[in-house]
Amino acid sequence: MRHIILILGMLLLSLWSCEAQTVAVQSGEVYTGSLTRVTTATFSIVASNFTPTVMSVQVNQTTITSGNVRVFASYNTIPSTLTFDYSDQSTTSPQHLIVVTPPNLKSGTYYFVVRCAANVLACSYSFSVTLSPGCPYMCSGNGVCNTGSGTCTCAPGYAPPYCAQSSIDIGLRSVTGFVSSASFNYYPIAVDTSRVNEITVLLNKTSAY
């Protein structure tokens, strides 16, 4: 009986050790795997802040019958479902993260955990992370990025350096843009309080980031 318990303990330790391993990935390469409800896959990549860089992470669910996947990311620490810096927990594939920190990515290691959704038994996935030249906040979606210098050429009415602030009264117009974690876009609107006593703002998410 003791031998059986010892063997089972060794098997559990082996399984835990395999799951705890972190795979160091290369930019642009695709990694695939399968998970159960109780297992996760952990990846890491080292980033440098010597050049303006944007990190793009994409996770595809490769077998629709298996269920949805989730991705969590953190800087210099392995994330969990409760503690993370970035995540995509949407129910549509692909899951996609754009990680940008001004003025560049921080130097260090970024960790990513892929897991199945809580309501499914198993899932299969493909994972990739790409480091590429970019601009802070992706110019907020309101400018053109000069990847050589990492600076934005803002569209008319938007102010540098990140093209996040508009100087044009948006009035009844519809505007689009990009906003990353812990950043903001600013839009002014002039209101005649003698005629208007209520403002309604409608915001639509137009991408899967």
Side-chain angles (χ1 to χ4, degrees), residues 150-192:
T151 59
C152 301
T153 300
C154 298
Y158 291 89
Y162 309 135
C163 313
Q165 185 160 347
S166 173
S167 60
I168 302 175
D169 183 355
I170 63 172
L172 299 178
R173 297 187 300 116
S174 176
V175 294
T176 60
F178 173 87
V179 63
S180 61
S181 177
S183 68
F184 302 89
N185 286 357
Y186 302 90
Y187 302 97
I189 181 171
V191 177
D192 183 352

Side-chain angles (χ1 to χ4, degrees), residues 90-170:
S90 60
T91 58
T92 57
S93 185
Q95 276 68 33
H96 198 181
L97 299 178
I98 297 290
V99 180
V100 285
T101 55
N104 311 313
L105 283 176
K106 299 177 184 177
S107 288
T109 303
Y110 288 81
Y111 292 92
F112 312 91
V113 168
V114 178
R115 66 178 302 138
C116 299
N119 62 333
V120 298
L121 296 177
C123 59
S124 295
Y125 67 89
S126 66
F127 172 91
S128 65
V129 54
T130 303
L131 298 174
S132 57
C135 289
Y137 303 128
M138 295 179 65
C139 302
S140 305
N142 301 312
V144 177
C145 177
N146 182 331
T147 56
S149 63
T151 59
C152 301
T153 300
C154 298
Y158 291 89
Y162 309 135
C163 313
Q165 185 160 347
S166 173
S167 60
I168 302 175
D169 183 355
I170 63 172

Side-chain angles (χ1 to χ4, degrees), residues 25-109:
V25 302
Q26 300 296 317
S27 177
E29 292 191 7
V30 178
Y31 301 81
T32 60
S34 297
L35 300 168
T36 68
R37 180 184 292 178
V38 297
T39 60
T40 60
T42 304
F43 303 94
S44 68
I45 194 167
V46 177
S48 169
N49 66 358
F50 292 125
T51 56
T53 304
V54 169
M55 181 162 58
S56 174
V57 182
Q58 182 159 315
V59 179
N60 286 286
Q61 178 182 302
T62 55
T63 51
I64 297 177
T65 56
S66 294
N68 298 307
V69 295
R70 303 287 187 265
V71 58
F72 303 86
S74 285
Y75 171 70
N76 274 352
T77 186
I78 296 176
S80 70
T81 55
L82 299 177
T83 58
F84 53 84
D85 295 328
Y86 309 89
S87 74
D88 189 334
Q89 303 178 58
S90 60
T91 58
T92 57
S93 185
Q95 276 68 33
H96 198 181
L97 299 178
I98 297 290
V99 180
V100 285
T101 55
N104 311 313
L105 283 176
K106 299 177 184 177
S107 288
T109 303

